Amino acid sequence: MTEATAPVMPAPAPIVNPENKPFWDATVEGRLVLPKCQNCGSINWYPRVFCPECGKFGVDWIDAAGTGTIYTFAITRRGMGAYGKAGPYVLAYVELDEGPRIMTNIVDCDVDSINIGDKVRVVFHDTGSGSALPRFTPVS
Amino acid sequence: MGISGAAFIAGAYEHPLRVIPDKSVAQVHAEVAAGALADAGLSFSDVDGYFCAGDAPGMGGIGMADYMGLKLKHTDSTETGGSSYLVHVGHAMEAIHAGKIKVALVTLAGLPRQASANLQMGVTDTPEGGFENVFGPTIHGMYALAAKRHMHEYGTTSEQLAWIRVAASTHAQYNPNAMFQNVVTVEDVINSPMVSDPLHRLDCCVISDGGGAVVIVSPDVAKGLERHSIKVLGHGEAPKHSDNGKIDLTYTGAAWSGPAAFDEAKLTPKDIQYASIYDSFTITVLEQIEDLGFCEKGKGGEFVADGGLISPTGRLPFNTDGGGLTNNHPVNRGGMTKILEAVRQLRGEAHPAVQVPNCELALAHGTGGSIGTRMGSATLVLGRD
Ligand SMILES: [Zn+2]
């Protein structure tokens, strides 16, 4: 059985607040940025201006390569809310080349042919509300 | 150190219904409170400490204290999801040991079947919310993420996970109040519809109305009661979170709360004759059994297979009421019912077909939140005095 992910995945908008606005602003420009601690250099996730590694405030928003590998995934057959009519879709954690494992979706793929460890690259889906969702697609 | 034995579970009560169309949430809280107090041989006027979580209506414990007319010296509304009630037992023991209170009441109740149960995580302005909720993480999806990774690292199979449901359903046939009393096979589980690969419908718990309550008392109060009280020997709790992008989905907070509870009780997993293990999903059980030390990490699949959890003959008799998978998972919070069945086992009051002979030491363990992101975890070691 071959099922492609929904041709048009829903793209619900996140709540953007002053702390995480630099992250979401970058997504609209097609850039995946990560907060790098100005004190200890740790690249943190989820995005915040506080560093949970060293306890200091202050980060630089650095450009990520936008590539990584699938740490784990689940094929959700029926979603809820905005995903109620999405059809089968892939919820995943992708381990970025910079280190952090981030929750996302794997898109533009045959859901029954992806595997843990597959290489993926970021794509952005505009929410229409000043943000775009960083999702990932297999690198062939 | 530790305060092992500083408190006793004197009363325990599980609401008999799983669908409750004609009552309010506060009313069900009060019904289970009345049930547990009657079981202990105590009354509402004896209660000087009240413990509840987010399922209780009102601000913290104050709304329900008002409803029930409680005169209190101590309230605690620690919220760690489904594990809250095991945390409450530990905190009640601390308050009793400190001499603040003598009789603590813990309640859980809710009516999720009376509204359209929405398992989508709410979109609120939590600091992490915008980086997770927008990707459609259903509850079953997040547990499926853990199952998939566990399978990848350790070779765990869907058939092994299915054995957990088989054991639960084998026990549930003896529980007349259980939501599902039919015994299922490994094939039944594997052939049930996929919900979130690799989890099938029968890998998931029930959604039930209802609730339960326990009454925790000081050793002095316990001595004066006719009912057989159960000693709280050890308590451990530990949140586990996403660890700044280093999340590891192959283990749970039980890896920390379990050893803490065993240390306080001065016991080891080998001493435990019966275990109530949180069972929101089959994978939850498997990871926690490993984390609590009942088997080596990664060997949970072999441990649970071939009837490993079936009472009284299996390697570790578990969830003899049928658990959250088949009996009851009130308000999507299975921690209270884990305590209740452990108390039944230690009192020798489980169904004879599933009663562990001479059960003297038991464990109850709860998870809250999601093993796919961040979770509460709490473990109790309990003993027949
Ligand atoms: Zn830092």
Side-chain angles (χ1 to χ4, degrees), chain A residues 22-88:
Chain A
F23 176 90
W24 292 113
D25 283 351
T27 61
V28 178
E29 301 166 3
R31 291 188 301 124
L32 180 66
V33 298
L34 297 169
K36 181 175 182 179
C37 175
Q38 291 169 345
N39 181 57
C40 75
S42 173
I43 295 172
N44 299 329
W45 189 265
Y46 52 89
R48 69 200 94 161
V49 301
F50 178 78
C51 176
E53 301 296 334
C54 72
K56 303 288 193 211
F57 290 88
V59 297
D60 294 316
W61 297 92
I62 63 164
D63 280 308
T67 49
T69 57
I70 298 175
Y71 169 73
T72 189
F73 67 97
I75 306 165
T76 297
R77 297 292 162 177
R78 191 178 57 168
M80 311 282 288
Y83 286 77
K85 293 193 168 90

Side-chain angles (χ1 to χ4, degrees), chain B residues 160-318:
Chain B
Q160 290 171 335
L161 289 176
W163 270 107
I164 296 167
R165 175 70 177 229
V166 170
S169 74
T170 301
H171 300 152
Q173 67 181 307
Y174 304 108
N175 182 350
N177 294 331
M179 207 149 175
F180 297 118
Q181 294 163 27
N182 58 311
V183 179
V184 304
T185 65
V186 168
E187 290 68 33
D188 290 335
V189 181
I190 302 297
N191 293 329
S192 66
M194 268 305 178
V195 176
S196 269
D197 304 37
L199 296 179
H200 305 78
R201 182 175 292 165
L202 294 185
D203 286 302
C204 308
C205 65
V206 303
I207 295 174
S208 47
D209 294 341
V214 288
V215 178
I216 318 298
V217 303
S218 68
D220 277 355
V221 171
K223 270 192 207 104
L225 299 174
E226 286 181 21
R227 193 77 163 101
H228 191 141
S229 292
I230 299 306
K231 203 175 206 174
V232 183
L233 296 173
H235 152 251
E237 60 183 78
K240 175 174 180 272
H241 52 63
S242 62
D243 196 17
N244 194 24
K246 297 184 286 292
I247 194 164
D248 182 338
L249 297 184
T250 62
Y251 74 97
T252 71
W256 303 317
S257 68
F262 281 119
D263 281 355
E264 186 165 71
K266 296 187 170 61
L267 294 168
T268 72
K270 285 191 174 59
D271 298 314
I272 298 299
Q273 296 164 277
Y274 164 81
S276 285
I277 306 285
Y278 201 87
D279 56 346
S280 47
F281 297 88
T282 52
I283 184 62
T284 324
V285 176
L286 188 103
E287 289 200 5
Q288 291 168 141
I289 281 178
E290 296 173 348
D291 297 335
L292 291 166
F294 290 111
C295 68
E296 196 184 320
K297 191 70 206 171
K299 304 284 193 200
E302 294 167 33
F303 187 85
V304 303
D306 304 318
L309 301 179
I310 295 176
S311 185
T313 53
R315 285 177 277 274
L316 180 69
F318 103 125

Side-chain angles (χ1 to χ4, degrees), chain B residues 138-157:
Chain B
T138 58
I139 295 282
H140 43 74
M142 288 192 287
Y143 282 75
L145 291 174
K148 187 76 182 177
R149 186 69 198 185
H150 199 281
M151 290 174 164
H152 176 77
E153 288 197 26
Y154 298 116
T156 305
T157 66

Side-chain angles (χ1 to χ4, degrees), chain B residues 171-172 175 274-275 311 317-323 341 345 350 354-356:
Chain B
H171 300 152
N175 182 350
Y274 164 81
S311 185
F318 103 125
N319 298 8
T320 40
D321 59 338
E341 184 66 6
Q345 280 286 349
V354 294
Q355 174 69 46
V356 174

